Amino acid sequence: MPSVVGMLEERELAARVRTEALREEADRVLAALADSESEWREWVIARQRVDVVLREGSVVPVLPEPESPGGVVEAAAAAAADAVPTPAAGASGAVVPGVVSGKPVRTVPVWAPGLDRGVLRENYRAVVEVLVTAAEAGGVSMTRSCPEIAVALGMEVTKNNIEGRVRHVAKRLVERGWLVEPVQGRFRLADGPAAAS
């Protein structure tokens, strides 16, 4: 007759094997989800850009024939400036980031002097504020990892929260000049936003 301990060990082993298989499946699904979300964001951005161009009735400008090599650069810069939609002015006359031709745009504005973190959507602003607090506590060079940011935001430290809700936001803020990633996976305020805080 098998011992009780032996039967428990068999069931424990079966449960462990099942758990590891489910964990591998969950990791595969989360990786596929991250890839799918990334592709989705790219299509959303592409559609938004096309929409802006169509709304503005923009046509690719014909560059004038430059007289010198320096003129090529100047002509290209002028054409690019004409093709880029300009942000609309608010009631006070100040430029309103995230608004193009009076219509809201759900993008992260590129950081520029005078921009306050209040222009960011709530989830982006929350990550910046965690790093502002870190900078105030330990100097501008103070960095935080995604799990540390998640904890500071009161999130449960899960792969979904770390990858989907913190790392994605932090990486986007790096792209737009609000944060820097001096070491892989660790973030801090960029010099401009740090000085403005």
Side-chain angles (χ1 to χ4, degrees):
M1 177 174 206
S3 70
V4 172
V5 172
M7 290 171 57
L8 291 174
E9 286 175 348
E10 285 177 10
R11 294 201 178 194
E12 177 188 349
L13 177 61
R16 187 177 79 210
V17 168
R18 188 172 61 250
T19 299
E20 288 173 358
L22 288 170
R23 186 173 288 128
E24 287 174 9
E25 179 67 12
D27 289 344
R28 188 192 63 73
V29 168
L30 286 173
L33 175 63
D35 289 345
S36 179
E37 286 177 337
S38 177
E39 181 184 6
W40 175 36
R41 282 189 299 274
E42 290 170 7
W43 285 113
V44 168
I45 291 168
R47 183 182 47 76
Q48 289 172 340
R49 289 184 178 164
V50 168
D51 185 49
V52 167
V53 170
L54 293 176
R55 223 177 321 137
E56 295 295 319
S58 295
V59 177
V60 177
V62 176
L63 297 177
E65 194 66 40
E67 296 178 11
S68 68
V72 172
V73 173
E74 291 169 10
D82 290 340
V84 173
T86 54
S92 65
V95 170
V96 180
V99 176
V100 176
S101 301
K103 297 182 181 177
V105 178
R106 294 183 55 90
T107 60
V108 178
V110 174
W111 185 85
L115 267 189
D116 176 83
R117 62 185 177 263
V119 301
L120 298 171
R121 291 193 320 234
E122 185 178 345
N123 54 334
Y124 289 86
R125 185 172 55 248
V127 170
V128 170
E129 287 172 354
V130 165
L131 294 167
V132 166
T133 302
E136 290 169 351
V140 173
S141 64
M142 184 60 77
T143 63
R144 291 284 184 260
S145 67
C146 290
E148 291 169 329
I149 294 170
V151 168
L153 293 172
M155 293 180 187
E156 185 180 346
V157 181
T158 63
K159 186 169 183 171
N160 188 40
N161 283 342
I162 300 300
E163 296 298 325
R165 297 180 66 195
V166 176
R167 190 177 316 279
H168 164 72
V169 168
K171 292 278 192 182
R172 184 74 171 133
L173 288 166
V174 168
E175 290 172 9
R176 308 305 280 174
W178 292 86
L179 305 181
V180 292
E181 188 177 12
V183 177
Q184 182 69 24
R186 296 195 66 85
F187 301 89
R188 71 171 172 81
L189 287 175
D191 293 337
S197 295

